Structures are given as structure tokens and as C-alpha cells.
Amino acid sequence: MSANAQIHVIDHPLVAAGLSIVRSKTTTPDLFRRHLQEISVLLFVEASRQWETRAIPVETPLAPCAGAVLSKPIVLVPILRAGLGMLDGIQRAVPEASIGHVGLYRDAETLRPVSYYEKVPVNVAAAEVLLLDPMLATGNTACEAASILKAQGARSIQFLCVVACPVGVQQFQREHPDVPIITAAIDPELNDHGYIVPGLGDAGDRYFGTG
Ligand code: URA
């Protein structure tokens, strides 16, 4: 993990191996899906590392012992559409989590993200909130989505992505210095079309097989 408090780059052999598979242009959509989900779970494990727990008593078949439950509810918010690719694996790990959705498109004139769909669980203010999008490219979409969550009351947010780039990281940290970024990689640059290079291509197209 990097030393910077607000960006964690996960240094783990399973993440490195999975990332190589999702990056490869020869990876089929079924393998891409599987490995994107596995990487997302590993990011989730890191994101949840510091979450508070409450002590509870547990009776095993043999004896009483000390147990724990999470203190706060969990809210997962994929940014449509590619963020859905990170949802399934995490949802299997924490089936009790509530799911919100944020949909944004880019206005052709202003090039700014515009919200077309927002549905956030009512308990968002009390929850540990994870905002999900595989690619942190320009940062505009992630920044807008985090602002939407804050406007709905979210107070403890982390942003999980698979590949980030410096421009997006800087933009996000400027606008949301209180929201940690958890990523599997930081790639060097964006091309003229807003794709991260080397990146992994269009995450949504590759996940949904629409490319
Ligand atoms: N969105 C993607 O799917 N890929 C990129 O490289 C950048 C944004």
C-alpha cells in the first residue's frame, strides 16, 4: 500500500495476476468478468480493514466466546454502467449491504458529467459507503458521483477503482480530499479520447461484451 493517506495502491500478488488478465486484449468477456470481480473483492477487503466492529457474545457448539459484528451498515454505489462490474463479487462478500446507483453522462457542450439517475439508500448517512467505478480517468465522473452522495448525506465514503491515472487522482483529491481512493494500479496517462494508457480499454464494453 502506498504511504499517501488518501490513496491506497494495493500491492498483492493476486491483484497483480488478476490485473494482468483483465488488461490483456485477448481475455474473453467471461474471464474479464470473473477477474474484475475478484480484484474488486480484494479492494473491498482493503477498504473495510479499518471499519469499526461491536463485540457480541457467541456460543459455539462447545463454549461461549467473543464475537464481533460491523458497527455500521454498508452501502455499495456503482457508477453506471461499468461500476456494475465491481458489484457482484463484493455483494457476495457482504450480502447485507444496501445498493445505490448513480448514472452520469457527459454533456456534449460543457463536457461536464450530468446525472440521469440517482437512487441512494435512506441509511446512507449512517453507513460505510463504497463508490465503485473500475476506471478513474479524468476524475469528472467520480467527483460528481461523490458530490451526489455527500448531498444525500453520506459522511464516510471510499472510492474503489481498478485502474487510476494521475490526472484523475489529482482532480479527485482536490475536490474530495476526505474520500480515500483504493486502486489496483496507477497508470501513467490519458489519451486524447479520455482512455487510460495502458489501462484495460473500455471497462463497460469488455464487462458486458458490447465492444
Ligand atoms: N473508461 C474506461 O472504460 N476506460 C478508460 O480507459 C477510461 C474511462
Side-chain angles (χ1 to χ4, degrees), residues 82 133-138 190 193-205:
D133 194 346
M135 310 304 279
L136 178 57
T138 61
L190 277 184
H193 303 287
Y195 282 94
I196 299 176
V197 182
L200 51 77
D202 188 303
D205 277 349

Side-chain angles (χ1 to χ4, degrees), residues 18-19 21-24 26-41 81-90 92 134 162 200 202-211:
L19 187 57
I21 293 169
V22 296
R23 281 189 192 281
S24 171
T26 62
T27 297
T28 52
D30 57 329
L31 270 185
F32 185 91
R33 276 181 212 122
R34 199 173 99 201
H35 287 282
L36 190 72
Q37 288 174 23
E38 279 179 12
I39 295 167
S40 304
V41 172
R81 152 184 84 137
L84 292 173
M86 298 179 71
L87 182 63
D88 277 3
I90 301 177
R92 266 197 297 276
V162 174
L200 51 77
D202 188 303
D205 277 349
R206 296 197 64 191
Y207 189 85
F208 290 108
T210 47

Side-chain angles (χ1 to χ4, degrees), residues 135-140 142 159 163-169 171 190 194-196:
M135 310 304 279
L136 178 57
T138 61
N140 291 338
F159 178 67
V163 184
C165 72
V167 175
V169 169
Q171 159 99 349
L190 277 184
Y195 282 94
I196 299 176

Side-chain angles (χ1 to χ4, degrees), residues 17-158:
L19 187 57
S20 303
I21 293 169
V22 296
R23 281 189 192 281
S24 171
K25 66 179 182 186
T26 62
T27 297
T28 52
D30 57 329
L31 270 185
F32 185 91
R33 276 181 212 122
R34 199 173 99 201
H35 287 282
L36 190 72
Q37 288 174 23
E38 279 179 12
I39 295 167
S40 304
V41 172
L42 295 167
L43 298 175
F44 169 71
V45 168
E46 191 57 39
S48 56
R49 185 178 292 282
Q50 307 292 341
W51 285 355
E52 282 172 23
T53 56
R54 189 162 43 78
I56 53 159
V58 175
E59 297 253 354
T60 79
L62 302 178
C65 71
V69 285
L70 292 173
S71 300
K72 293 186 183 176
I74 303 166
V75 169
L76 308 173
V77 184
I79 301 177
L80 302 177
R81 152 184 84 137
L84 292 173
M86 298 179 71
L87 182 63
D88 277 3
I90 301 177
Q91 207 179 354
R92 266 197 297 276
V94 278
E96 72 275 23
S98 306
I99 315 295
H101 293 89
V102 174
L104 297 159
Y105 72 91
R106 196 159 72 142
D107 183 273
E109 277 175 20
T110 64
L111 303 182
R112 293 291 312 164
V114 179
S115 166
Y116 65 86
Y117 188 76
E118 292 169 23
K119 187 79 183 176
V120 177
V122 288
N123 63 351
V124 74
E128 297 286 1
V129 182
L130 299 180
L131 182 60
L132 311 175
D133 194 346
M135 310 304 279
L136 178 57
T138 61
N140 291 338
T141 304
C143 284
E144 184 62 22
S147 297
I148 289 169
L149 293 179
K150 287 180 180 176
Q152 305 258 353
R155 284 179 298 186
S156 179
I157 310 173
Q158 297 179 80

